[in-house]
Amino acid sequence: LSPAFVDVFGVAVLRRGPPARSPYPTAAASFVANCRSLAEALNAPRRPPVVVAGKRGAGRTAAIRELASRCGAVVREFVLDEACDARALVGYHEVAEDGRFSWRRGPLALAVERGEWAVVEDVDRASLEVLALLKPLAEGFSLGAAGRALASESVRRHAGFRLLGTATTEEARFLGREHWVEAYCRPLDRAELMAIVGLPASVAAAVVDAAEGSARDAIKMARRVRDRVNLEEGPYAPEAKRLLAAVEACDVVLGRCRGDAAEAEANVAEAFGLEPDHLRMRVRASSPQITSTPRGVQVGRVVLETTGGAPDLRFAPTPHAARLLERVAACVASREPVLLVGE
């Protein structure tokens, strides 16, 4: 194989830089098949954009990251909802200290110029304004700087730039779809998920059931359980340990829940063999204790270390605030991104 290419599960893909170590479960047959399908789509003639279709949590973005890590490509991910200002993706004017205006490249423009892989999450749900902005890139042209006076200031397209997107349905329809090729990601089966989570059998099946087939959620739950629940090998776990694991799983499920939270909690309780009311009381009615020590702060079940001495806790620890703080602390301890939404 030429040094200009890298072997990705039997498919030769153009190398972009030194490979990086992958954190993903490449031993899972379904995941390998998904990566191979994506690699073949990337090799399509004239390097068209690729839409990776599949169910939520099937590993669409994970497959993209896996290929990028093996090829040495830099991935820049975009979550573009209806509130996104498409023009800011290209660039914007800012006022310098001397009062003059200067043009600053936006994140999409930087990806195009640097030859990165731009990944648009749920591209089939993007606004028409965003899709109209992406259409020239999908057609193989450069990225125009909307509203600029000089055409020469449009963004130059690097030869290594690739445009990718994810969609939750096969053959998704959106503006410019005819220029995209599709790679389908099939969900991992139960046996593969059980092997991936790497937990004792006493809770591995419960984690997989609570994740409802989502590899992303199952991996996130498993990482949290390993960090904060001391489990022993064996086919059975005490109820107290199952409750602690179920609380971690509930945090993950409720973090993405847009429907009935009580139903989601009941599903998690059933997966872990618990009474729904018992789990609900722990999740909704408990009042986690918040204490500070010279080394850090403990928020309920979570301990966070600090480097600046004992923290100064100046707020009213009402039960609701304490529960919210415990959930945020769990995300911080597990190195997960947090988005707080509300009034």
Side-chain angles (χ1 to χ4, degrees):
L1 187 66
S2 168
F5 293 85
V6 60
D7 182 280
V8 180
F9 305 115
V11 181
V13 180
L14 188 66
R15 187 189 299 273
R16 288 286 297 120
R21 187 178 66 86
S22 170
Y24 292 104
T26 55
S30 296
F31 186 73
V32 170
N34 294 341
C35 291
R36 187 181 295 117
S37 174
L38 175 57
E40 292 171 348
L42 287 171
N43 284 343
R46 292 186 289 186
R47 299 164 58 82
V50 179
V51 57
V52 185
K55 295 181 179 179
R56 187 195 65 82
R60 299 166 300 172
T61 307
I64 295 173
R65 292 173 182 167
E66 173 67 23
L67 256 71
S69 68
R70 288 173 175 260
C71 299
V74 176
V75 174
R76 191 181 291 257
E77 299 176 19
F78 297 86
V79 181
L80 308 177
D81 58 15
E82 295 180 355
C84 174
D85 183 358
R87 293 170 296 180
L89 297 174
V90 181
Y92 52 92
H93 289 98
E94 65 177 11
V95 182
E97 292 183 358
D98 59 4
R100 290 186 294 182
F101 287 95
S102 60
W103 179 258
R104 180 176 292 275
R105 291 278 193 260
L108 181 58
L110 290 174
V112 173
E113 282 188 331
R114 296 171 179 174
E116 299 172 347
W117 289 12
V119 181
V120 181
E121 297 284 353
D122 295 327
V123 64
D124 53 330
R125 299 182 183 180
S127 67
L128 285 176
E129 184 184 16
V130 169
L131 293 173
L133 178 68
L134 296 176
K135 194 170 184 290
L137 291 176
E139 294 172 346
F141 299 109
S142 188
L143 181 66
R148 301 309 312 281
L150 300 177
S152 61
E153 293 181 349
S154 63
V155 180
R156 294 180 180 274
R157 179 174 179 145
H158 191 285
F161 171 76
R162 298 304 304 263
L163 177 62
L164 302 98
T166 65
T168 53
T169 58
E170 292 186 73
E171 299 181 356
R173 297 300 173 190
F174 51 89
L175 180 65
R177 173 65 179 85
E178 65 274 12
H179 301 292
W180 297 63
V181 297
E182 182 175 284
Y184 179 72
C185 279
R186 68 185 189 192
L188 277 64
D189 62 34
R190 181 180 176 81
E192 290 172 327
L193 288 174
M194 290 279 287
I196 287 171
V197 297
L199 293 172
S202 55
V203 295
V207 165
V208 171
D209 290 341
E212 298 180 340
S214 169
R216 178 181 58 233
D217 287 354
I219 292 172
K220 186 183 292 187
M221 291 176 189
R223 183 171 57 244
R224 283 167 159 255
V225 171
R226 281 193 297 269
D227 288 345
R228 288 186 284 276
V229 184
N230 184 20
L231 294 171
E232 298 179 356
E233 293 292 340
Y236 180 77
E239 182 177 351
K241 296 290 181 69
R242 284 185 281 121
L243 177 61
L244 292 175
V247 170
E248 299 294 346
C250 247
D251 267 8
V252 175
V253 171
L254 294 178
R256 60 165 170 77
C257 180
R258 296 295 181 269
D260 187 355
E263 181 180 355
E265 292 166 352
N267 292 338
V268 173
E270 181 180 2
F272 283 87
L274 300 169
E275 289 292 332
D277 290 341
H278 192 187
L279 178 60
R280 189 175 299 113
M281 287 291 292
R282 175 60 182 83
V283 172
R284 296 196 191 187
S286 64
S287 182
Q289 296 299 306
I290 304 173
T291 57
S292 61
T293 68
R295 294 188 57 190
V297 59
Q298 179 164 358
V299 186
R301 68 186 192 273
V302 184
V303 177
L304 297 175
E305 293 187 1
T306 60
T307 57
D312 188 7
L313 305 177
R314 296 185 179 180
F315 69 98
T318 62
H320 173 75
R323 289 193 298 271
L324 178 60
L325 196 60
E326 184 186 41
R327 292 182 64 186
V328 173
C331 293
V332 172
S334 299
R335 300 168 298 282
E336 299 169 1
V338 183
L339 176 65
L340 298 178
V341 180
E343 298 180 358

